[in-house]
Amino acid sequence: MGTRGRVGERRSPPAERGPRPPRPLQPGPDSRKNQVSSAIGAAKLNGRFYTPLEVADAMLERVRWPAGGGSLLDPACGEGVFLEAALRKIARLRLSREDLDQVSLAGWDLDPEALREARRGLAATIAGYGLPMLLMPRLHHRDALETPILQPACVVGNPPYLESKRMPEALKARIRERFPAAATGAFDLYGAFVALTLEAEPEELSLLLPNRFLVTANAAALRRELQARYELEITDLSRERVFGDAAVYPVVIHGRRRKARARAAPEARSRDRREAVLPILPPPGPARELFRRLRDDETLPRLADALEIRWTVSFHRAGLRDAFVSPPEAGHPASPHARPFLGGQRFSGNREVEPCRIAWRGAHIDYDEARARAAKNPLPPLGLFEGPALVICQNARRLRCAVDTEGHVLKDTFLHGRPRGGGVRGLKWLALVLQSDLMHFFYEHLWGGTRKAGGHLHFLGRTLEGLPLPPGKPPAGVEALYRRIGEGDQAARARAEALVRAAYGVTATEEAALAAYPFPPPGA
């Protein structure tokens, strides 16, 4: 299992730092880092992940513990950054001796060197803050996945991350046997620690996890169980450089145990509910109420009612692209199967689709389905691309799409949306709705766990099909606004935004809340 030890910076004595007020959930310049290592070999981990002390401080400030007493446990404590943050919180609270007698701290880890460092550092923290030695955390060289937990008051920490494809078979088998809900699909080691926490049934939990935990299908069972047992709040740290250059986008999941087990939410048309997606809710107030209204109003049609979203052309083997795709400089191929191809140029990204505009760069694909089958790379039926369609970029800082009436074939950097009715005018209205600030606000909070690659959101059929649409027919003027937005007219974009918000019934109070929201620029 993964553990976290230090990266080698000098530890500042606690007496030099002194007790500090809680900080925002972001790393500071004097962070003491926590290194991921592993009993199965750190070399197997492609990167190390760090927990700045400031993040641990803020997570501990969020929990109620030590109020009410009880034990606090970090089941993968490494060198003890969360335990240090717990001691710092106790020092700030200046608890009475009677209250101190009611609390205890514990940490487990598989790395004996990390535990030795933790003992030295935590003893120095206790001495530096003048705390009684009875608060010295109980540190155990222990495999958390083999150890039952006796219901602590609070579980905190940053569980180790390790994808199942890089796990030893013995470890995968152990997780499947003990934590089957954490071992579906392409699972990760951190899921086993979430299952371990659920098994322990603490009054409160605060876990630092990758944002993908909020949305991936393989974690759906764990999310459903968390939602049933705990009142949850998610803090999004994906835009902060918490882990330096590591390709991890973290969130903090904070939960307080419900007094009674919640009923499962009724299944709705939107797949996000069936998968128990954890939203990153806006702060309490009009913005949160707007999000919930859009999410929960069952009278609103969903995108799946208007659009059939399909996957497009993929090349499954190196060299196949070159065998089927002609670059723009080659001109129109001689093949009778040649078709204009969006996304065909190597390293072209997805900029051939801009807001309300197709910008084809001239690549062609030889859409010879028989030849593709012979190459063991079947293509979708060519009829998929016939007729008007909405072309949606799969990855962008905010959703970009455009109506295609020319029958372009699409590389799998794009999704193909075939209308279920309404024709081109209906598609253009959909394009205005999906590219609006309002829909970005909604999508970013519901599917923020898809954020990756420098802050890009991920758009898939399953994440899009449950999006709420405004009721009724498209308003007047849609086609002119669509054309002008494609030409870069910002006034037209503002007018389209006003139409979208009116169609959803956004109130003046909700408008004021949206005015303070940091939207990415159109076309980002």
Side-chain angles (χ1 to χ4, degrees), residues 84-99:
E84 179 175 346
L87 292 170
R88 287 156 60 86
K89 179 177 182 179
I90 289 172
R92 289 192 291 272
L93 293 174
R94 302 183 183 277
L95 299 180
S96 69
R97 182 57 184 253
E98 181 181 359
D99 289 335

Side-chain angles (χ1 to χ4, degrees), residues 25 57-64 89 204 206 232-235 252 254 256:
L25 278 174
D57 272 341
M59 289 172 63
L60 263 294
E61 281 304 309
R62 182 68 178 277
V63 301
R64 291 175 178 170
K89 179 177 182 179
E204 201 163 13
S206 186
L232 299 175
E233 286 284 343
I234 315 297
T235 301
V252 175
H254 174 256
R256 291 192 178 120

Side-chain angles (χ1 to χ4, degrees), residues 200-224:
E201 296 187 328
E203 289 296 319
E204 201 163 13
L205 58 89
S206 186
L207 301 176
L208 187 65
L209 299 173
N211 65 343
R212 61 183 179 270
F213 176 77
L214 305 180
V215 299
T216 54
N218 58 50
L222 294 174
R223 292 195 300 269
R224 281 193 292 269

Side-chain angles (χ1 to χ4, degrees), residues 309-325:
I309 301 174
R310 297 282 299 273
W311 199 255
T312 51
V313 173
S314 297
F315 294 111
H316 308 314
R317 212 170 59 243
L320 279 179
R321 175 200 291 263
D322 296 331
F324 284 86
V325 178

Side-chain angles (χ1 to χ4, degrees), residues 303-304 309 392 399 415 443 459-467:
L303 186 61
I309 301 174
I392 303 168
L399 191 146
L415 299 170
Y443 191 93
F459 302 96
L460 295 171
R462 72 181 184 89
T463 65
L464 292 168
E465 64 181 10
L467 295 183

Side-chain angles (χ1 to χ4, degrees), residues 222-299:
L222 294 174
R223 292 195 300 269
R224 281 193 292 269
E225 200 62 29
L226 277 171
Q227 288 177 302
R229 297 192 199 181
Y230 290 87
E231 296 283 354
L232 299 175
E233 286 284 343
I234 315 297
T235 301
D236 184 12
L237 300 183
S238 63
R239 298 180 186 181
E240 309 292 343
R241 295 179 62 81
V242 174
F243 295 139
D245 293 331
V248 176
Y249 293 81
V251 296
V252 175
I253 296 184
H254 174 256
R256 291 192 178 120
R257 195 160 61 170
R258 297 179 186 271
K259 293 181 181 178
R261 190 179 180 89
R263 293 181 180 179
E267 186 170 300
R269 285 171 294 169
S270 53
R271 186 173 292 189
D272 54 89
R273 291 197 182 177
R274 295 199 296 273
E275 293 183 352
V277 170
L278 291 179
I280 302 169
L281 292 175
R288 179 173 291 193
E289 293 310 309
L290 172 61
F291 170 81
R292 283 178 167 161
R293 177 166 67 81
L294 294 176
R295 182 191 62 182
D296 299 337
D297 187 348
E298 292 298 331
T299 68

Side-chain angles (χ1 to χ4, degrees), residues 397-431:
R397 295 187 185 278
R398 59 182 292 162
L399 191 146
R400 294 200 317 274
C401 63
V403 175
D404 177 29
T405 58
E406 304 297 324
H408 293 89
V409 174
L410 310 180
K411 178 74 173 62
D412 58 9
T413 48
F414 302 105
L415 299 170
H416 182 275
R418 180 192 295 274
R420 297 190 188 277
V424 173
R425 182 165 174 260
L427 281 178
K428 290 180 177 178
W429 174 230
L430 278 181

